[in-house]
Amino acid sequence: MTNMAPGWYDDGHGALRWWDGARWTEHVAAPDPEPAAGSAPEPEGIDALPPELAYAEPATPLVPPYAASPGYPGNAAPSGMFTAATQPQKSKTWIWVVAGIALLGVVVAAAVLIPVLLLGAAVSGNSSSSAAPVAPTSADEDAAVATVELYDAAWQDVDCDAFFASTTENFRSPGWPDCATFEAEAEAFATSVQNYQVSVTGIESGEGAITVRTSEAFDSFVDEAGNPADPPVPFEEQLTYTLVPEGDGWAIDNVE
C-alpha cells in the first residue's frame, strides 16, 4: 500500500487538495494560474499522488470535519477537531470597529453610553460569541462536561485511549475505527494549532441525552487561504456535542 506523507497534492482535477496521510480531505487550495506556453511547469514542491490514490468525488459530498474535525459529521465520518486547524473563519475586524465606535461615543456622551461600553466589553471578551460560560447543575451534567474535555484533550495529546473512552462506537466507526487511523489524523491536528481553549456556553439535559455547547478558541498555523501562517492566526468556533449514556458515564455520539 502506498503511504504518502500529509500535504497539498494535485488531485488530478485542476486543484491542490489536502492529503492527510490516509485519505483525501475536503480542503482545496486554488493552484497558481496556468503557465504560458514554454514557461516553467507547476510550482515546485507540489506533487501528484500515485494513480491508485487519485482523488475521486465521493458519492456523498464532504463537509467540514470538526464542525473536532478531524472527521466529517453527516458524511462518512463523525465530526472532529482537524477542521478547527484548517477551516477558514470569518474575520474579527468588526470587533475593533465596534470598540472604536464605543470609545468615540464615550468622548461625546459618556453618561449615555456607559451601558453600551459595558456590553461591548462583554462581547469582546467572548470574541464571536456573547454567551457567558456556564457550570453543570447535576452530577450527570458534570460527567458530560468532563467527557467533552477528555475528547478535546485526546486530539491535542494524540491520546487514543482518551478518544475511545470519550466517544461511542457509532461516533468512531465511520472515520476512526482504530487507533492507527485516529492517531494519524490527531497528529496532523496537534501540530497545526496551539493555545487551544474550551469554554462551555450551554448545557441541556434531556431524556437519554445531554447537549453541551462550547466556544473553542485556538491559534492556527494555517491561514484562511489554507497556507502556512507565521505568526499563527486566531480562530474561534462554536460546537454542539451530543452525549448519551454509556457504561457508568456519558460518551459523545455526535459533534456539529
Side-chain angles (χ1 to χ4, degrees), residues 14-26:
L16 305 180
R17 187 175 296 272
W18 183 259
W19 174 264
D20 66 9
R23 64 178 69 81
W24 290 106
T25 71
E26 84 286 359

Side-chain angles (χ1 to χ4, degrees), residues 43-206:
E44 183 178 354
I46 302 302
D47 300 315
L49 292 181
E52 64 269 21
L53 298 181
Y55 175 74
E57 291 293 338
T60 303
L62 294 176
V63 297
Y66 186 23
S69 127
Y72 308 102
N75 188 47
S79 62
M81 290 173 14
F82 188 54
T83 290
T86 58
Q87 180 176 345
Q89 303 290 316
K90 293 183 178 179
S91 171
K92 303 299 188 298
T93 303
W94 66 271
I95 297 178
W96 300 107
V97 174
V98 172
I101 294 174
L103 290 175
L104 179 60
V106 170
V107 176
V108 177
V112 176
L113 296 178
I114 286 177
V116 177
L117 291 175
L118 293 176
L119 177 59
V123 172
S124 296
N126 287 284
S127 192
S128 62
S129 172
S130 60
V134 301
T137 59
S138 68
D140 281 338
E141 289 185 356
D142 189 63
V145 169
T147 298
V148 170
E149 292 172 344
L150 180 64
Y151 173 84
D152 282 331
W155 284 101
Q156 297 174 65
D157 300 336
V158 193
D159 187 339
C160 186
D161 290 339
F163 177 70
F164 270 65
S166 60
T167 57
T168 64
E169 182 178 1
N170 177 64
F171 178 83
R172 298 187 302 267
S173 58
W176 312 286
D178 53 52
C179 282
T181 305
F182 166 74
E183 288 171 353
E185 204 158 337
E187 190 73 45
F189 165 75
T191 57
S192 299
V193 302
Q194 67 178 11
N195 302 326
Y196 207 98
Q197 301 294 325
V198 179
S199 176
V200 176
T201 58
I203 306 174
E204 295 178 5
S205 297

